[in-house]
Amino acid sequence: MPITPARNTAVTAGRPARNGRCLPSGTMRTAGHGGHDVRRLRDILRAAVRGGSYPRGLLPSEATLMAAHGASRATVRAALALLRTEGLIERTQGVGTHAVVAPVETSLPEAHGVITPAHDSLFNQRMRPRELDRSVLPAPDTVARRLRIAPGTPCLRLEYVALHQDEPIAIATNYVLFPEADKLRDTPFVSDWYRLLADSGVALSDSEFVFDCEPADATLAAVLGIREGTPLMALEQLIYDLDGRPFDLAFIHTRGERFRFVSRGTSPTLS
Amino acid sequence: MPITPARNTAVTAGRPARNGRCLPSGTMRTAGHGGHDVRRLRDILRAAVRGGSYPRGLLPSEATLMAAHGASRATVRAALALLRTEGLIERTQGVGTHAVVAPVETSLPEAHGVITPAHDSLFNQRMRPRELDRSVLPAPDTVARRLRIAPGTPCLRLEYVALHQDEPIAIATNYVLFPEADKLRDTPFVSDWYRLLADSGVALSDSEFVFDCEPADATLAAVLGIREGTPLMALEQLIYDLDGRPFDLAFIHTRGERFRFVSRGTSPTLS
């Protein structure tokens, strides 16, 4: 089958933006061919860097990248500049370009706490908590609604920074109802949340996440050791007991660049 | 059971930060009690705003929030200021505080394309594509590796902006292998990716996401009608055919504030 030359349809051609309401006029012009080429190459290189595709994290030379992607030197440099701005790579004169950090991939079922973590999982004794708070307080309004209790019902707030290789990667605030709270109250917290639940003799059936993203505010930036405005994953988690009653609501902020969540869906007719 | 007063353990007390490497000295002091109180309230209010808890998106008054959360006026105002900075709420003199946008919640299995979408799902004819590119080109290196083919093997690049209620909410670049590419090549693209696959007669078995977050660069910001630096969800997706062969790799950038992904994990011993 012959390869036709890439037909890079102009963004503006033939399809006028019908969403003028939210796009400032003239915006589409600035996102022309060059911008899309850079973004596409950035997406591909980002996936390679984040996925640990390059041995020892060392990226190929500009010339190699140009050849492998049919890209101009300007496009390669612009794509690398975006990754550097994002803090994912560093370029050192005479040494080359390398990935700053290899993120840990975590399967979503492990993050949900509903399966036994793999040997090399972040959820297999790889984390260490630094507790910020463990206190009993009346459940605030929204917390109460999500946990299906009356506002003011006592709950245990357990808040911690999750450390991985001594670096803060997440901060989580859990609101736990009684009687589970009583079991957690004095149990030593040694690695991750699910280990704490297990050590406290608390069983769970289901765990639900709502995924979102947010910019780090000053407090989160300070706690996580990152710049203000850095994108974070914001997760809300509800954990259910064996009777399907939610007993734990958590607000979790994770450093996206430190780990990635992997989720796999299988067609039910095939599984 | 008596409620003990909230014991707000100081961040520094007793547990010196062992991660001095990435936290500038003195950082922990700046994230003191006030900062954590504001963040906790922000987390709770953010969940309420994002979850559509307030009728007509109208937030309670400052006085009501103070009472419901046992918070000072300064804490309530600081938490609301953070949500306003994030672009989630607007405050109008004499009118009150309201949510700017109600995000659409999307279940992860629907986003994976492996189940029939619910009636009100975003994946049930709720989206419309604006195509940016549909062209055949040699697969770039990393794309080839992920799709387990030789670099340079022809593939179809199909790129589009996903519109919801005429607003751009995501941009996706798909690299599709032949023979599937041949079926997709001339099929009209009318709503979402899974509808396009179905209309092309292409079946899928599995779909895998890697979740990440990133700041919007200039091009993404222009295409999505948002400010540069706004946090986005970055997803890599691999779609598999009925024989378990990956035939489609996509790089997807979604506006986190427009929709949220909901994922539920069930303990296998219970399901």
Side-chain angles (χ1 to χ4, degrees), chain A residues 1-8 40-41 44 65-71, chain B residues 133-145 147 149-158 173-178 181 185 249 251:
Chain A
M1 196 218 40
I3 299 177
T4 58
R7 170 172 48 90
N8 198 341
R40 287 170 189 145
L41 181 57
I44 290 173
L65 291 174
M66 288 164 64
H69 298 276
Chain B
D133 183 47
R134 199 189 292 218
S135 57
V136 174
L137 76 172
D141 260 8
T142 299
V143 171
R145 195 178 306 121
L147 289 171
I149 53 168
T153 305
C155 66
L156 176 72
R157 183 173 66 198
L158 207 162
T173 311
N174 285 267
Y175 296 88
V176 183
L177 296 185
F178 287 84
R185 211 166 167 178
L249 172 66
F251 299 104

Side-chain angles (χ1 to χ4, degrees), chain A residues 1 3-4 6-9 11 15 18-19 21-23 27-28 30-31 35-36 39-40 42-44 46-48 50 53 68-69 82 86 108 112 114-115 128 130-136 140-143 145 154 157 159 163 165-168 171 173 175 178 185 204-215 217 219-220 222-225 231-234 236 240 242 251 253 256 260-268 270, chain B residues 1 3-4 6-9 11 15 18-19 21-23 27-28 30-31 35-36 39-40 42-44 46-48 50 53 68-69 82 86 108 112 114-115 128 130-136 138 140-143 145 152 154 157 159 163 165-168 171 173 175 178 204-215 217 219-220 222-223 225 231-234 236 240 242 251 253 256 260-268 270:
Chain A
M1 196 218 40
I3 299 177
T4 58
R7 170 172 48 90
N8 198 341
T9 313
V11 175
R15 297 182 186 82
R18 277 188 246 170
N19 46 355
R21 183 154 57 96
C22 55
L23 282 180
T27 298
M28 292 318 255
T30 68
H36 284 301
R39 175 182 50 73
R40 287 170 189 145
R42 189 272 318 268
D43 284 352
I44 290 173
R46 193 175 191 280
R50 304 277 296 151
S53 297
H69 298 276
L82 286 173
E86 210 187 323
L108 208 52
H112 272 296
V114 294
I115 62 167
R128 198 167 57 79
R130 181 156 42 82
E131 269 189 62
L132 302 181
D133 183 46
R134 200 191 289 219
S135 57
V136 173
D141 259 9
T142 299
V143 171
R145 195 178 307 122
R157 182 173 66 197
E159 185 171 68
L163 305 173
Q165 296 171 348
D166 286 333
E167 284 195 327
I171 177 169
T173 311
Y175 296 88
F178 286 83
R185 211 167 168 176
L204 66 99
S205 62
D206 283 57
S207 144
E208 189 178 86
F209 282 124
V210 182
F211 285 90
D212 203 346
C213 56
E214 59 173 1
D217 63 34
T219 308
L220 288 174
V223 170
L224 296 174
L232 297 174
M233 293 276 233
E236 266 175 67
Y240 298 80
L242 298 180
F251 299 104
H253 308 273
R260 312 202 289 172
F261 293 104
V262 181
S263 163
R264 186 153 178 150
T266 299
S267 179
L270 300 163
Chain B
M1 195 215 39
I3 299 179
T4 59
R7 170 172 49 88
N8 199 341
T9 312
V11 175
R15 297 180 186 85
R18 279 189 243 171
N19 46 355
R21 182 154 58 93
C22 56
L23 283 181
T27 297
M28 292 319 252
T30 68
H36 285 300
R39 175 182 50 74
R40 287 171 190 145
R42 190 272 318 268
D43 284 353
I44 291 172
R46 193 176 191 280
R50 303 276 297 151
S53 297
H69 299 276
L82 287 173
E86 210 187 324
L108 209 52
H112 272 296
V114 294
I115 62 167
R128 198 168 54 80
R130 179 156 43 83
E131 268 188 62
L132 302 182
D133 183 47
R134 199 189 292 218
S135 57
V136 174
D141 260 8
T142 299
V143 171
R145 195 178 306 121
R157 183 173 66 198
E159 185 170 69
L163 305 172
Q165 295 172 349
D166 287 333
E167 284 196 328
I171 176 170
T173 311
Y175 296 88
F178 287 84
L204 67 98
S205 61
D206 282 57
S207 145
E208 189 180 85
F209 282 124
V210 182
F211 284 90
D212 203 346
C213 56
E214 59 174 0
D217 63 34
T219 308
L220 289 173
V223 170
L232 297 174
M233 293 276 232
E236 267 175 67
Y240 298 80
L242 298 180
F251 299 104
H253 308 273
R260 312 203 288 171
F261 293 105
V262 180
S263 164
R264 185 153 178 151
T266 299
S267 181
L270 299 162

Side-chain angles (χ1 to χ4, degrees), chain A residues 40-258:
Chain A
R40 287 170 189 145
L41 181 57
R42 189 272 318 268
D43 284 352
I44 290 173
L45 296 180
R46 193 175 191 280
V49 166
R50 304 277 296 151
S53 297
Y54 300 124
R56 299 182 312 284
L58 198 67
L59 274 71
S61 68
E62 283 184 7
T64 305
L65 291 174
M66 288 164 64
H69 298 276
S72 70
R73 187 175 297 273
T75 297
V76 167
R77 286 191 172 165
L80 292 174
L82 286 173
L83 294 179
R84 195 172 38 196
T85 301
E86 210 187 323
L88 298 180
I89 61 168
E90 275 175 9
R91 307 195 72 184
T92 313
Q93 191 70 34
V95 176
T97 305
H98 63 274
V100 171
V101 62
V104 180
E105 295 206 347
T106 300
S107 87
L108 208 52
E110 285 179 350
H112 272 296
V114 294
I115 62 167
T116 304
H119 176 69
D120 61 350
S121 165
L122 205 61
F123 287 90
N124 194 343
Q125 318 293 328
R126 291 288 188 291
M127 289 187 281
R128 198 167 57 79
R130 181 156 42 82
E131 269 189 62
L132 302 181
D133 183 46
R134 200 191 289 219
S135 57
V136 173
L137 76 172
D141 259 9
T142 299
V143 171
R145 195 178 307 122
R146 296 275 281 153
L147 288 171
R148 305 177 200 162
I149 52 168
T153 304
C155 66
L156 176 72
R157 182 173 66 197
L158 206 161
E159 185 171 68
Y160 63 98
V161 177
L163 305 173
H164 177 239
Q165 296 171 348
D166 286 333
E167 284 195 327
I169 56 170
I171 177 169
T173 311
N174 284 267
Y175 296 88
V176 183
L177 296 186
F178 286 83
E180 286 83 354
D182 235 1
K183 300 181 180 172
L184 263 69
R185 211 167 168 176
D186 298 307
T187 305
F189 191 2
V190 294
S191 59
D192 62 67
W193 187 252
Y194 303 117
R195 171 71 189 271
L196 176 65
L197 291 183
D199 287 351
S200 307
V202 172
L204 66 99
S205 62
D206 283 57
S207 144
E208 189 178 86
F209 282 124
V210 182
F211 285 90
D212 203 346
C213 56
E214 59 173 1
D217 63 34
T219 308
L220 288 174
V223 170
L224 296 174
I226 55 177
R227 271 182 313 187
E228 205 174 324
T230 302
L232 297 174
M233 293 276 233
L235 295 95
E236 266 175 67
Q237 183 178 27
L238 264 183
I239 301 181
Y240 298 80
D241 72 10
L242 298 180
D243 296 321
R245 157 190 160 270
F247 70 89
D248 179 10
L249 172 66
F251 299 104
I252 309 168
H253 308 273
T254 74
R255 290 174 66 176
E257 92 284 13
R258 292 287 149 160

